């Protein structure tokens, strides 16, 4: 009140606060997803990047989820880039973080055709050598975390879309029996970890999921250790398979657990409220399919924020696939997950702040077009400056509706003479072109 008496107007005070608090607090009053999930005996997990587990990213990862999956840190190429020389730093960091936060860890992944070290993929190996390499890798990595990991994705993506075995280093060298060998080695290295086979496009009943079903049935019949199947669920907006629950149930009926291991639901950018509403319904449909089957142990999202998602890099022009936006604001999908887990059904009040959201609207081999949308709710701006750091060497080449400069990796854009005002409930957007190579990750924008 004292500041009001000194003559600072309420509007100016609001503007000032909005400038200070550009990253909205993520509705701390709501019950975290992990508590809702735990009350139902379910896992609510997320894939994480170890180096990001601080600040807001770490706060949300620790508060909202009761399980973590290293997105890349435990893959063979990450842990043994050079033969015999190991890097466990990021994997250890994630496991330590999980233990400090009372979270399970899903180990991901031991035997795959991607993200292997080049010494392995470029080598030429006899079947006996290949078998030895695989078994030694499993013994070492599973043994390292023995007793600390709840689950391992032992074999990843063994099938092609038509249900035949994928032609990989492992299949071509060892035949389909590599799967049984890998599971047996994992069981020996950590008898308490649940062992899974994990694949994508196996969420509904189709040729690929039927091949997986037949494999699991035969492994069970042969007494090979197999505890569960992971349905990755990298889905497209509006395309949740209608047979998902039925498919989960048929695996459960074989006597194995089922987990949704890598859920994300991508859309064509830019997102809008209709797409985000559809996405929320899709997330809820996946949650409900899992919740309907007691042997479905839970759901893991493949990254919880749009700023840490593989989609924009792999599907140019698509994104917004996760439950939180790039600025860590929960999206309708977040609230849909909470509702499916029995959380509050009221839409939270809008956060009093101005926020900036960066998105790539189109991308081609060397360039891209992006935009930043500055929106205010319960606050207003009379001028603005948005800045971000490009994480992969991108360069800005042109901007419109803002005046932008780039210095090193840092881009700073201030309003044009005609669009400095962002009223309460309003927004402004500016655009730019840039160049990229190698990767074009979405940065977090700071508003000042
Ligand atoms: O999220 C991972 C991404 O950062 C990697 O670049 C990519 C490489 O293939 O792998 C991503 O994770 C994959 C997961 O390990 C297995 N299922 C598909 C996921 C998305 O590609």
């Amino acid at each position: 009140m004292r500041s009001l008496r000194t003559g600072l107007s309420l509007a100016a005070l609001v503007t000032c606060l909005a400038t200070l608090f550009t990253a909205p607090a993520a509705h701390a009053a709501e019950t975290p997803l992990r508590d809702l999930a735990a009350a139902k005996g379910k896992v609510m997990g997320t894939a994480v990047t170890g180096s990001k587990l601080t600040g807001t990213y770490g706060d949300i990862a620790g508060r909202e989820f009761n399980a973590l999956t290293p997105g890349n840190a435990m893959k063979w190429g990450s842990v043994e880039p050079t033969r015999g020389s190991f890097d466990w730093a990021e994997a250890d960091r994630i496991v330590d973080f999980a233990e400090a936060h009372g979270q399970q860890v899903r180990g991901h992944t031991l035997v795959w055709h991607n993200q292997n070290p080049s010494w392995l993929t470029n080598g030429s190996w006899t079947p006996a050598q290949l078998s030895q390499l695989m078994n030694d890798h499993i013994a070492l990595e599973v043994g390292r975390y023995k007793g600390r990991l709840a689950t391992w994705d032992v074999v990843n993506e063994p099938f092609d879309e038509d249900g035949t075995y994928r032609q990989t280093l492992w299949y071509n060298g060892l035949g389909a029996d590599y799967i049984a060998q890998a599971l047996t080695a994992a069981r020996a290295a950590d008898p308490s970890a649940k062992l899974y086979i994990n694949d994508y496009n196996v969420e509904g009943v189709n040729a690929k999921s039927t091949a997986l079903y037949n494999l699991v049935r035969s492994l069970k019949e042969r007494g090979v250790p197999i505890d569960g199947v992971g349905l990755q669920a990298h889905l497209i907006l509006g395309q949740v398979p209608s047979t998902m629950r039925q498919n989960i149930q048929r695996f459960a009926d074989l006597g194995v657990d089922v987990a949704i291991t890598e859920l994300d639901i991508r859309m064509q950018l830019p997102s809008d409220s209709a797409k985000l509403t559809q996405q929320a319904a899709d997330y809820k449909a996946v949650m409900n399919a899992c919740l309907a089957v007691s042997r479905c142990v839970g759901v893991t999202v493949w990254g919880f924020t749009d700023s840490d998602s593989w989609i924009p890099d792999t599907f140019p022009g698509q994104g917004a696939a996760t439950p939180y936006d790039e600025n860590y604001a929960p999206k309708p999908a977040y609230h849909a997950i909470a509702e499916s887990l029995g959380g509050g059904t009221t839409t939270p009040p809008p956060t009093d702040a101005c926020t900036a959201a960066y998105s790539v609207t189109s991308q081609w081999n060397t360039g891209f077009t992006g935009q930043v949308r500055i929106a205010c709710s319960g606050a207003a701006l009379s001028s603005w400056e948005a800045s971000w750091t490009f994480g992969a060497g991108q360069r800005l080449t042109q901007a419109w509706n803002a005046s932008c400069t780039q210095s090193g990796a840092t881009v700073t854009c201030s309003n044009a003479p005609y669009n400095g005002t962002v009223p309460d409930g309003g927004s402004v957007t500016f655009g730019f072109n840039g160049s990229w190579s190698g990767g074009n990750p979405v940065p977090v924008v700071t508003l000042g």
Side-chain angles (χ1 to χ4, degrees), residues 116-352:
N116 285 318
S118 52
W119 64 262
L120 176 65
T121 49
N122 295 340
S124 106
W125 314 103
T126 65
Q129 289 172 323
L130 205 53
S131 179
Q132 179 93 49
L133 282 163
M134 184 183 80
N135 287 329
D136 287 351
H137 169 65
I138 292 171
L140 186 76
E141 181 154 7
V142 177
R144 179 181 180 84
Y145 297 107
K146 183 179 179 185
R148 298 175 73 191
L149 266 53
T151 316
W152 270 105
D153 287 329
V154 177
V155 175
N156 202 34
E157 302 173 0
F159 288 109
D160 275 326
E161 300 308 290
D162 64 0
T164 57
Y165 282 106
R166 190 190 285 268
Q167 305 279 312
T168 68
L169 170 71
W170 309 111
Y171 181 78
N172 295 338
L174 302 173
D177 197 53
Y178 83 90
I179 296 171
Q181 274 189 47
L183 289 161
T184 303
R187 177 68 93 230
D190 185 353
S192 68
K194 299 280 187 196
L195 307 180
Y196 277 63
I197 301 173
N198 189 47
D199 214 327
Y200 63 90
N201 287 350
V202 292
E203 295 74 32
V205 174
N206 58 35
K208 194 175 183 179
S209 65
T210 299
L212 179 59
Y213 175 87
N214 289 332
L215 169 64
V216 172
R217 187 172 59 189
S218 112
L219 293 169
K220 293 282 285 182
E221 281 166 6
R222 291 165 54 199
V224 175
I226 173 75
D227 300 307
V229 295
L231 315 181
Q232 293 184 8
H234 293 292
L235 301 176
I236 297 170
L237 190 72
Q239 296 185 28
V240 178
S242 59
T243 52
M244 194 160 179
R245 174 180 170 175
Q246 177 194 342
N247 191 44
I248 294 171
Q249 186 67 57
R250 72 170 171 160
F251 281 105
D253 292 345
L254 281 180
V256 291
D257 291 340
V258 179
I260 311 299
T261 52
E262 304 184 15
L263 176 61
D264 52 24
I265 301 177
R266 61 186 183 267
M267 63 181 71
Q268 199 64 40
L269 294 172
S271 68
D272 59 32
S273 63
K275 292 180 196 173
L276 293 173
T277 301
Q278 175 68 51
Q279 186 185 49
D282 293 345
Y283 265 91
K284 193 177 270 186
V286 174
M287 294 298 299
N288 287 341
C290 180
L291 290 163
V293 180
S294 59
R295 284 203 83 141
C296 186
V297 298
V299 176
T300 288
V301 293
W302 204 243
F304 62 85
T305 161
D306 292 338
S307 68
D308 185 42
S309 166
W310 68 297
I311 298 293
D313 285 342
T314 304
F315 301 96
Q318 297 183 51
T322 78
Y324 284 82
D325 74 10
E326 304 88 346
N327 298 330
Y328 301 118
K331 292 156 59 178
Y334 171 90
H335 300 295
I337 295 171
E339 281 174 30
S340 69
L341 292 170
T345 51
T346 53
T347 307
T351 311
D352 287 351

Side-chain angles (χ1 to χ4, degrees), residues 334-419:
Y334 171 90
H335 300 295
I337 295 171
E339 281 174 30
S340 69
L341 292 170
T345 51
T346 53
T347 307
T351 311
D352 287 351
C354 297
T355 58
Y358 178 113
S359 54
V360 174
T361 53
S362 69
Q363 182 169 298
W364 54 100
N365 52 356
T366 56
F368 68 101
T369 300
Q371 69 172 33
V372 169
R373 180 168 175 269
I374 299 170
C376 291
S377 175
L381 295 172
S382 56
S383 67
W384 47 263
E385 185 178 89
S387 59
W388 65 88
T389 303
F390 277 137
Q394 301 102 314
R395 300 292 310 173
L396 207 73
T397 52
Q398 185 191 8
W400 50 95
N401 297 333
S403 149
C404 297
T405 56
Q406 180 166 0
S407 163
T410 305
V411 176
T412 306
C413 297
S414 51
N415 59 273
Y418 50 85
N419 66 358

